[in-house]
Amino acid sequence: VSMDAIAKWAGVGAGTLYRHFPTRDALVAAVLENHQPDLSAEAEVIQNDSVDSGAALERWLDAVSRWMRAYEGLPEPLRTALGEQDSPLRLTCQEVIDTTGEFLQAAQKDGHAREGLTGRNLYLATLAAAWALGTPSADGSTGHELDDLLRSGWRVDS
């Protein structure tokens, strides 16, 4: 959807929209700000509830996946933001990557997750799965299959 179409749908002039949100990423970042406190609160709940660090990492990745799929088409700007130093979404992505890294390090320390992985790796894998779920070729089983694949990639066989 073009920024002009968004302005029209919102009932404001294109100039007003561009004054507040000079780029599409700036608009997406503002929309995601509403979900960021929920994601941060979910991280805290997971940390407080989970005894098993592997289960905590799994719950966190599920929360991140839901966050990435909050809006249709969201995975693409999240991916793009990682490569652009001045993207308004970059800081948001980095916060999620850092928290993912914290959950991962705990799981690695306890022997639940493979060594050599990073929070960024898991973020990108989760982002790829979220993108794939939004494609027309995804069906009802795709989500479960991708979740299983992602988990088999980071979990240590017990």
Side-chain angles (χ1 to χ4, degrees):
V1 175
S2 72
M3 292 287 279
D4 289 339
I6 292 169
K8 186 175 180 179
W9 177 84
V12 298
T16 301
L17 180 67
Y18 280 105
R19 250 189 318 282
H20 288 80
F21 309 105
T23 65
R24 177 182 301 278
D25 280 355
L27 177 60
V28 172
V31 169
L32 283 180
E33 281 182 33
N34 291 331
H35 287 284
Q36 195 65 24
D38 294 340
L39 192 58
S40 297
E42 189 145 4
E44 190 173 319
V45 167
I46 293 167
Q47 288 168 336
N48 293 332
D49 285 354
S50 296
V51 178
D52 178 279
S53 58
L57 177 58
E58 192 167 313
R59 285 179 60 192
W60 173 248
L61 292 175
D62 287 341
V64 171
S65 179
R66 285 189 306 275
W67 174 76
M68 290 175 169
R69 291 179 287 130
Y71 300 102
E72 186 175 333
L74 182 57
E76 183 56 32
L78 293 175
R79 184 199 62 79
T80 302
L82 292 175
E84 297 177 1
Q85 290 295 332
D86 60 345
S87 171
L89 287 170
R90 188 172 175 81
L91 181 60
T92 300
C93 293
Q94 191 58 53
E95 289 172 3
V96 176
I97 290 168
D98 291 345
T99 303
T100 302
E102 292 168 14
F103 280 106
L104 174 61
Q105 287 173 357
Q108 287 169 328
K109 180 179 171 238
D110 294 342
H112 297 296
R114 291 185 321 142
E115 294 297 324
L117 295 175
T118 66
R120 184 178 176 88
N121 295 145
L122 288 183
Y123 176 88
L124 289 171
T126 304
L127 183 60
W131 173 84
L133 286 172
T135 63
S137 60
D139 61 20
S141 65
T142 302
H144 297 295
E145 291 171 1
L146 289 174
D147 284 342
D148 288 345
L149 181 61
L150 177 59
R151 278 159 187 61
S152 67
W154 66 260
R155 270 206 185 278
V156 170
D157 291 334
S158 16

